[in-house]
Every structure is written in C-alpha cells, then in structure tokens.
Amino acid sequence: MAGHVRWGIIGAAKFAFEHMGPALHAASGGCLEAIATQSPEKIAKFKERFPHLRAHESYDALLADPEIDAVYIPLPNVLHVEWALKALDAGKHVLVEKPLAMKAEEFDAIIARRDATGLHAAEAYMIVHHPQWQYAKALYDAGEIGRLLSVRGVFSYDNSADTANIRLNPALGGGGVPDIGVYSYGCTRFLTGEEPEEVTRADLDWENGVDVYAEVSARFPSFRYHAINSMRMFAHQEMQFHGEKGLIRMTAPFNAGVFGEARVELHRTKMRIEEKRFPAVNQYVMQVEAFNQTVLNGDRYACPLEFSKGTQAMIDMVFAAAKT
C-alpha cells in the first residue's frame, strides 16, 4: 500500500457516480484509481469527471489489479455477498453498499472471511459517521431526554415513475424496506444500543413482488418503536426520540445536505428548543475517511459488520411478521 488507500469501484452505478465516486476522490487518506464496467458510455461518463481513472472491462480484472487496495461495491443487492467474498479472496478491503445481504445469516461468511484475511470489510451505512448522529447519541447517553419511551420515524420518497429502477425489481433484491428501512431501523439501534424484542405490527403494501409501503411497530427492551417507509409517498424524513424529560428531533437524518440541512433539536420543558445545525458535512466523505483510517491505522470503525447484521436481523423480523 502506497501510504494511502487506492480505491476501485465495481459497477458504474448512478449512486457511485453522483455520491460515492466523488467521496472516494475527496476523502483524505485515499484516492479513487479505477472502475470496472462493461459499458463504454458509463466509462466515458466517469472519466469525464475523473480523467485519471483506469477502466477495467470486468469485475475480475479490477480485483486482479495489484494497484488497488480496496473496492466499493454498488451492485444490485443480490450480488453484494458474492462480490464481497471475491474481493476479500483477492486481498482487497471492501465497502459494500447497503443492504450488504438479503438475510442476516448471509453476513456470517463475510465476517469469517474478514477475520481470516485480516482485511477490513463493512457495509456502506454512512449515517453513523455524520456528526449529527454522534451528537444525538451523546445527548441520549447523557440522559438529556430522560427515560426513552417512544421512537417515531419516517423515510419516504416516490419512485413510481421510474419503472426501470432496480428497487422495483424483486429479482435484484428490490423493495422499500431493504432500501430505506435499513436507515429507520439501524439508526434506532445505533442511538439506543438496544435490539428489538418483537415486531408487533408489520403492515406492508406490495407491487410486483416488492414492498412499496411499510408501517412497522416493534417493542425494544425499554421503549416502543413505530416507523413508516415508503417508495410511494411525498419525500420526507424525520426521526424523533421521545423521553420522559425531553425529545430529540432530527430533520434530515438520512440524506443530510441532500434532503435538507441536518438539524438536531432538543425539546425541553416550557417549550424550550435547543438546536444544533450541521450545514456543511458530507457524510459520504466522512465514511470513506473513517474506512481509510481503519485500513491505515487500525482505528475503530463505527459500523462493523456485526452492527449491520443486527439491522438485517430486524429487517428479517419485519418480513416474517408481515407473513403472519
């Protein structure tokens, strides 16, 4: 390794072009060096933005590139586990777009391969690297809202007009819960440190084999949880953590800087609201920088595979409850 992490991207996804490619390029401790895709049009598009990129016509060719240390994988969901394992076998650190797997037990093979190789592997769950979530967790841990009783959240958008969207394709692992439920569920686990005991309600609407609306209630050891995720609603996102002494409200908890400015509100007695804003933070860059420092220096990573497996376990519980 040349004193920094040399990155390659497996698959020229739109999200990689718009967000993660620029983040890999901008993050300290690393550089974006190569991309693999069979599409000449996509190669040309990437090279227009990143003229220095080496282009590989196959994923295997990129994995064989000796000048690549780590790969980012934004392939369709059902391909994540396969190519994460191939990347680790090729000696590459790997950052896989969420959801990394379609079932919690599928994480086990990647965890085992990570441990056997000593390489770093993680799901691209970027929100825990954003200082708004670290601040909100600090408020919670300090007891600023007292005993937590209720968590409420919503994450919605409408992609009904985008009929070619892979999120609408069941064969590729589509669906609203895998795409955005992972945020609503995972952020609650991150902030509270608790795991769900039971999904008490899972009311899902389906279209062509994928969930497009999910209203989910769950019981955690010390609080109740309720969230809505939908690919058929007006775009909105918000999380509220409601305790005996106060309430934490987050206005752009998931797409900070894209959906809107990240703000954390602490609601106290007598209608007092203390607000902290995070106007200029790129959570994708912060995620890559954290990954780079783990690879280079062994720094603790905020989102290990074991954490991501726990979120997938809750997703599995939601689908199981929906069947009953």
Side-chain angles (χ1 to χ4, degrees):
M1 193 175 299
H4 57 273
V5 181
R6 300 168 296 183
W7 283 91
I9 300 176
I10 293 182
K14 178 182 178 183
F15 185 80
F17 179 76
E18 293 181 348
H19 296 287
M20 282 302 294
L24 292 167
H25 180 69
S28 63
C31 57
L32 176 60
E33 297 282 355
I35 188 165
T37 176
Q38 293 183 336
S39 168
E41 294 81 9
K42 290 182 178 180
I43 288 176
K45 186 177 181 180
F46 268 82
K47 285 182 73 67
E48 183 177 345
R49 174 171 284 185
F50 311 107
H52 67 285
L53 280 189
R54 297 191 304 281
H56 294 286
E57 294 185 355
S58 74
Y59 304 156
D60 287 315
L62 188 147
L63 292 181
D65 187 336
E67 297 184 0
I68 292 299
D69 306 307
V71 294
Y72 166 64
I73 301 176
L75 297 172
N77 296 341
V78 293
L79 299 177
H80 288 173
V81 171
E82 174 188 354
W83 284 99
L85 291 172
K86 287 182 177 180
L88 291 168
D89 287 341
K92 312 299 185 187
H93 306 279
V94 60
L95 180 64
V96 188
E97 195 49 58
K98 54 83 201 158
L100 186 150
M102 303 309 297
K103 293 285 186 180
E105 59 264 26
E106 294 177 357
F107 277 82
D108 294 339
I110 301 177
I111 291 172
R113 204 71 53 90
R114 174 203 66 187
D115 294 345
T117 60
L119 296 164
H120 185 34
E123 181 184 66
Y125 195 67
M126 72 291 185
I127 65 170
V128 298
H129 303 282
H130 196 293
Q132 71 164 331
W133 277 104
Q134 296 159 14
Y135 174 66
K137 181 170 175 56
L139 291 176
Y140 174 76
D141 290 344
E144 294 291 347
I145 63 171
R147 186 166 70 97
L148 179 64
L149 297 174
S150 172
V151 175
R152 298 186 299 277
V154 61
F155 191 2
S156 63
Y157 61 87
D158 184 359
N159 68 358
S160 56
D162 185 10
T163 56
N165 195 306
I166 63 172
R167 296 169 183 82
L168 303 180
N169 188 335
L172 297 179
V177 167
D179 183 47
I180 54 178
V182 65
Y183 291 118
S184 307
Y185 308 158
C187 75
T188 302
R189 297 177 53 251
F190 174 75
L191 187 137
T192 66
E194 295 191 16
E195 302 293 344
E197 296 179 325
E198 179 187 8
V199 172
T200 56
R201 180 170 180 258
D203 187 1
L204 275 60
D205 290 343
W206 302 81
E207 291 181 14
N208 301 317
V210 299
D211 66 283
V212 296
Y213 179 93
E215 191 164 340
V216 171
S217 299
R219 183 182 294 275
F220 283 71
S222 63
F223 62 89
R224 291 179 175 85
Y225 170 92
H226 185 80
I228 293 173
N229 297 112
S230 179
M231 301 191 296
R232 291 294 180 271
M233 294 173 68
F234 176 77
H236 184 66
Q237 54 187 261
E238 182 177 332
M239 289 298 299
Q240 294 185 16
F241 300 88
H242 198 157
E244 287 181 325
K245 299 193 319 184
L247 178 146
I248 297 170
R249 175 176 178 262
M250 306 178 73
T251 61
F254 310 124
N255 295 127
V258 178
F259 176 77
E261 183 185 56
R263 303 197 313 270
V264 178
E265 300 172 355
L266 177 59
H267 294 239
R268 297 184 180 274
T269 57
K270 298 182 179 179
M271 304 301 290
R272 290 183 298 129
I273 300 176
E274 300 172 12
E275 181 181 80
K276 188 166 184 177
R277 296 171 177 258
F278 302 85
V281 177
N282 186 314
Q283 58 191 354
Y284 303 108
V285 171
M286 298 196 75
Q287 172 183 240
V288 177
E289 290 181 342
F291 191 103
N292 290 343
Q293 290 308 307
T294 298
V295 170
L296 295 171
N297 303 318
D299 290 5
R300 176 187 173 275
Y301 195 68
C303 186
L305 290 176
E306 289 80 359
F307 173 85
S308 296
K309 179 181 177 180
T311 301
Q312 184 61 50
M314 184 170 177
I315 292 174
D316 295 348
M317 291 172 67
V318 168
F319 284 129
K323 290 181 180 179
T324 60

